[in-house]
Amino acid sequence: MKKITYILFLLLAFHINAFAQAPKSYILTHIINKTIDKGEYVEDRRMDKKDRISINNLIYIFNSKKDSVAFYEFNDSPISESKVPNLCTLTKNQSSLLLNYKNESYSTKLTITFGDKQKTVSIGDKDIFYLNDSYYKYLRKSIGDHLNITDLIDFLEDFLADYNLDDLKYISSYEKYKHKDFKILKGYMESYRTQASDYLDKWNVKFSYNEAGIPKYILKDSTEGDQQIEKKLISSNKGVFKYTTHTNAESRLITDREILIDSNKKSYDEKVISLQVGLGKETRYETKQISNTIIPSREFILTAGNISKMTLLK
């Protein structure tokens, strides 16, 4: 009996030790985008004659909880493990969450607070969004409890540029497109002008949905009547959505986009026309996803082994 007990003890110790030493698991998402730069135009006259084509490698490494993401971008250059990644983390304290995104040229910190009584999500001190019951309950659990960054990016999809999070738009979960009862009812935002830091813009954000529950119209306009964002649904079919957006950044940069979202493949393609008002100069480009590959990783950094796997799977 003593011998059997001792053997069982050794087996238990072995399993505990093996579990403690088991390597952590991560997920690496490798997205390859093709961008066609269609050049610059002045008064609708093209200034250069040839399109320029570039291939962009976007690499996101997630931990299992998806509360941390390491991001690499390689534009027309060899993928190298020596590059330092951008890092995004979502952490929790007693009353709120903190999103921390560190880019090579800037950093962003956002506090996120849930209001159970009115079903609100507050971003920072001023921005607040009101949700219906089903979407609030989902985000309260997914983001508030489980710290899922991909659902946060999905929720903030139309305002990522406001928070300097545009790098992360390709990792959206697109859950709000899959659940027809997920709705943002309205929002209120504030922002200071970039060229007049003492001037505060106050924005109302309106949302409307079609009969199938798909977001069909979003308008962000100021109390003074200025429109910053207008987004319209053009078509939807089996999880593929086409939108047009019109954005006006302080009457300095006006951008029109045609966006194609495939929530099944988790792809985001766009055609862009951007006008620099003061210069009268217009730029045009198209970006299309040509592959999206997911591979397991044992480390939260890009390694030679990961690069080899990505090369084989191209």
Side-chain angles (χ1 to χ4, degrees):
M1 184 68 179
K2 288 184 178 179
K3 185 176 181 180
I4 294 173
T5 302
Y6 180 70
I7 291 173
L8 289 172
F9 173 79
L10 288 178
L11 287 171
L12 179 61
F14 172 80
H15 283 297
I16 292 174
N17 187 56
F19 177 79
Q21 293 182 6
K24 293 182 178 179
S25 60
Y26 302 94
I27 295 295
L28 184 152
T29 298
H30 179 207
I31 296 171
I32 302 178
N33 284 339
K34 178 182 179 180
T35 298
I36 304 173
D37 185 345
K38 294 186 171 293
E40 296 182 350
Y41 297 75
V42 175
E43 296 181 351
D44 217 30
R45 181 170 60 90
R46 184 165 182 170
M47 306 308 293
D48 49 2
K49 295 181 179 180
K50 291 184 178 180
D51 293 348
R52 293 187 296 274
I53 297 176
S54 60
I55 301 298
N56 314 103
N57 286 272
L58 309 175
I59 298 168
Y60 302 91
I61 304 177
F62 301 86
N63 66 348
S64 57
K65 287 182 63 177
K66 294 187 178 179
D67 63 358
S68 299
V69 184
F71 168 56
Y72 299 81
E73 182 174 10
F74 298 90
N75 296 323
D76 286 334
S77 60
I79 297 175
S80 170
E81 61 181 316
S82 63
K83 185 169 184 176
V84 177
N86 301 335
L87 184 62
C88 183
T89 58
L90 186 59
T91 56
K92 182 190 299 187
N93 59 27
Q94 291 183 346
S95 59
S96 63
L97 310 179
L98 177 63
L99 182 77
N100 210 325
Y101 179 53
K102 189 172 182 181
N103 188 292
E104 58 186 356
S105 56
Y106 61 85
S107 61
T108 296
K109 290 185 179 182
L110 292 177
T111 56
I112 302 160
T113 308
F114 287 87
D116 293 337
K117 186 175 182 180
Q118 293 185 292
K119 300 179 180 62
T120 58
V121 180
S122 298
I123 309 295
D125 297 328
K126 303 293 184 182
D127 300 350
I128 185 168
F129 299 91
Y130 295 81
L131 283 60
N132 71 344
D133 186 63
S134 57
Y135 197 23
Y136 180 78
K137 286 179 178 177
Y138 177 83
L139 293 184
R140 188 70 174 86
K141 184 175 182 179
S142 174
I143 299 173
D145 295 337
H146 299 313
L147 306 176
N148 188 313
I149 289 175
T150 65
D151 279 338
L152 179 62
I153 297 303
D154 179 40
F155 169 62
L156 293 176
E157 174 196 0
D158 298 297
F159 313 104
L160 294 176
D162 293 293
Y163 302 121
N164 291 322
L165 296 173
D166 219 32
D167 288 345
L168 305 178
K169 65 185 177 185
Y170 296 106
I171 62 168
S172 171
S173 65
Y174 297 118
E175 286 296 328
K176 69 170 179 277
Y177 293 96
K178 301 172 186 177
H179 300 268
K180 310 311 180 188
D181 58 340
F182 284 4
K183 294 181 180 179
I184 306 174
L185 304 179
K186 62 180 179 179
Y188 175 83
M189 303 174 74
E190 293 185 2
S191 59
Y192 284 98
R193 299 264 177 113
T194 57
Q195 294 186 336
S197 58
D198 59 342
Y199 192 94
L200 181 65
D201 283 312
K202 298 181 179 182
W203 307 97
N204 292 308
V205 191
K206 301 159 190 171
F207 302 83
S208 62
Y209 299 79
N210 65 12
E211 294 179 354
I214 304 298
K216 73 172 184 180
Y217 186 73
I218 297 171
L219 178 65
K220 179 182 177 183
D221 61 354
S222 74
T223 53
E224 297 178 353
D226 296 324
Q227 291 187 1
Q228 189 186 64
I229 299 174
E230 186 178 38
K231 180 178 180 180
K232 298 178 181 179
L233 177 67
I234 304 303
S235 65
S236 64
N237 182 32
K238 297 180 180 179
V240 181
F241 309 95
K242 184 178 181 180
Y243 287 92
T244 60
T245 67
H246 177 82
T247 60
N248 186 335
E250 301 173 10
S251 298
R252 293 184 296 105
L253 184 66
I254 298 174
T255 305
D256 288 291
R257 285 181 169 86
E258 183 180 285
I259 298 169
L260 190 67
I261 294 171
D262 188 330
S263 63
N264 305 305
K265 297 179 180 178
K266 294 189 175 180
S267 65
Y268 182 102
D269 301 338
E270 59 183 344
K271 297 179 181 179
V272 181
I273 299 175
S274 189
L275 173 66
Q276 297 180 51
V277 177
L279 300 176
K281 184 169 66 175
E282 186 178 273
T283 56
R284 304 176 188 179
Y285 68 88
E286 300 177 10
T287 299
K288 182 177 180 59
Q289 180 177 297
I290 57 178
S291 73
N292 185 333
T293 305
I294 296 175
I295 63 173
S297 174
R298 290 190 174 185
E299 297 186 62
F300 193 55
I301 58 172
L302 191 58
T303 65
N306 290 337
I307 295 171
S308 178
K309 288 179 185 177
M310 288 187 290
T311 303
L312 291 172
L313 290 171
K314 279 186 180 179

